[in-house]
């Protein structure tokens, strides 16, 4: 019995040569390798300012994803989903097939077509939290935790969360530790190796 206990300690109990540390999972954040040339990313990849857009570093692989943006300072901005082919120097987005975004004026655009619009009395203001759900077919919007019933669809392929800013807008991204309760069935963005 003592020999078996000693064997267990030497193989895995004391951090000795047999110990294999678990690899820490990456954090979902804004990706400085996929951003516009005049974009500034700060706060550990969570805040965007400057002019242009940025993708998150994780695609939306799982069936139902949720993420949030907090409007720190108003201006021209847009949030949604995009493929890696999107032009991150073009503001506003939603002009082509590579992005589906809510714009600061409450319109939702894809392929230069207005797909939907927030109610006029529900335009996001400074300090508001905009939540986004995406299920590989439809994007839905939440304002301060309330479903805006403003679905939009049409984008195809592998998509990533996207945000763009201009005219002094500053937005914070929240990919975990959300301000509001996740809508039923949706979850935070997972890296592919976390899904399996």
């Amino acid at each position: 019995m003592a020999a078996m206990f000693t064997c267990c300690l030497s193989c895995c109990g004391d951090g000795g040569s047999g110990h294999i540390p678990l690899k820490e999972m990456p954090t979902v954040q804004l990706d400085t390798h996929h951003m516009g040339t005049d974009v500034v990313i700060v706060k550990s990849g969570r805040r965007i300012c400057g002019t242009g857009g940025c993708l998150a570093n994780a695609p939306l692989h799982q069936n139902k994803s949720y993420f949030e943006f907090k409007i720190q300072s108003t201006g021209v901005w847009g949030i949604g989903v995009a493929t890696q082919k999107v032009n991150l120097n073009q503001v506003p987005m939603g002009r082509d097939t590579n992005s589906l975004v809510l714009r600061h004026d409450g319109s939702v655009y894809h392929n230069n077509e207005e797909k939907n619009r927030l109610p006029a009395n529900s335009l996001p203001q400074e300090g508001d939290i905009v939540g986004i759900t995406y299920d590989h077919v439809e994007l839905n919007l939440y304002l301060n935790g309330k479903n805006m019933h403003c679905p939009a669809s049409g984008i195809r392929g592998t998509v990533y969360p996207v945000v763009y800013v201009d005219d002094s807008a500053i937005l914070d991204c929240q990919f975990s530790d959300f301000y509001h309760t996740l809508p039923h069935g949706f979850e935070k963005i997972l890296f592919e190796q976390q899904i399996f």
Side-chain angles (χ1 to χ4, degrees):
M1 179 78 149
M4 188 167 74
F5 180 72
T6 304
C7 178
C8 282
L9 275 178
S10 66
C11 289
C12 54
D14 65 354
S17 62
H19 177 72
I20 301 171
L22 292 175
K23 183 179 176 185
E24 189 173 315
M25 295 308 290
T27 303
V28 179
Q29 60 191 28
L30 294 175
D31 188 350
T32 56
H33 295 100
H34 291 98
M35 67 181 200
T37 55
D38 294 325
V39 168
V40 178
I41 304 296
V42 294
K43 292 207 170 224
S44 302
R46 290 189 46 235
R47 177 169 286 179
I48 183 172
C49 48
T51 298
C54 187
L55 296 175
N57 63 346
L60 303 180
H61 283 301
Q62 77 258 34
N63 291 336
K64 294 184 173 188
S65 304
Y66 178 79
F67 48 100
E68 295 175 335
F69 294 91
K70 182 174 185 178
I71 302 163
Q72 295 291 355
S73 181
T74 57
V76 173
W77 56 265
I79 54 179
V81 295
T83 69
Q84 284 190 323
K85 293 180 182 178
V86 69
N87 181 349
L88 296 169
N89 292 305
Q90 183 181 46
V91 173
M93 289 184 187
R95 295 181 187 179
D96 58 25
T97 60
N98 297 312
S99 59
L100 172 62
V101 295
L102 167 67
R103 295 177 176 175
H104 69 282
D105 65 358
S107 61
V108 182
Y109 265 81
H110 171 67
N111 202 19
N112 213 29
E113 179 184 336
E114 187 173 309
K115 295 292 190 173
N116 212 329
R117 180 173 282 279
L118 290 175
N121 63 348
S122 296
L123 295 181
Q125 304 295 317
E126 195 168 296
D128 283 345
I129 310 295
V130 180
I132 294 179
T133 60
Y134 185 70
D135 64 6
H136 292 279
V137 175
E138 197 170 78
L139 179 137
N140 275 288
L141 303 165
Y142 293 75
L143 182 60
N144 298 318
K146 180 182 175 192
N147 188 341
M148 292 287 94
H149 302 287
C150 187
S153 60
I155 195 164
R156 302 272 185 256
T158 301
V159 298
Y160 296 73
V162 70
V163 56
Y164 69 81
V165 292
D166 196 8
D167 196 26
S168 301
I170 301 172
L171 274 70
D172 284 354
C173 308
Q174 208 60 36
F175 298 114
S176 62
D177 303 323
F178 300 111
Y179 291 100
H180 297 284
T181 304
L182 280 71
H184 179 72
F186 288 85
E187 59 187 347
K188 69 179 185 176
I189 300 166
L190 301 173
F191 279 91
E192 193 169 17
Q193 62 264 39
Q194 290 175 302
I195 295 172
F196 301 110

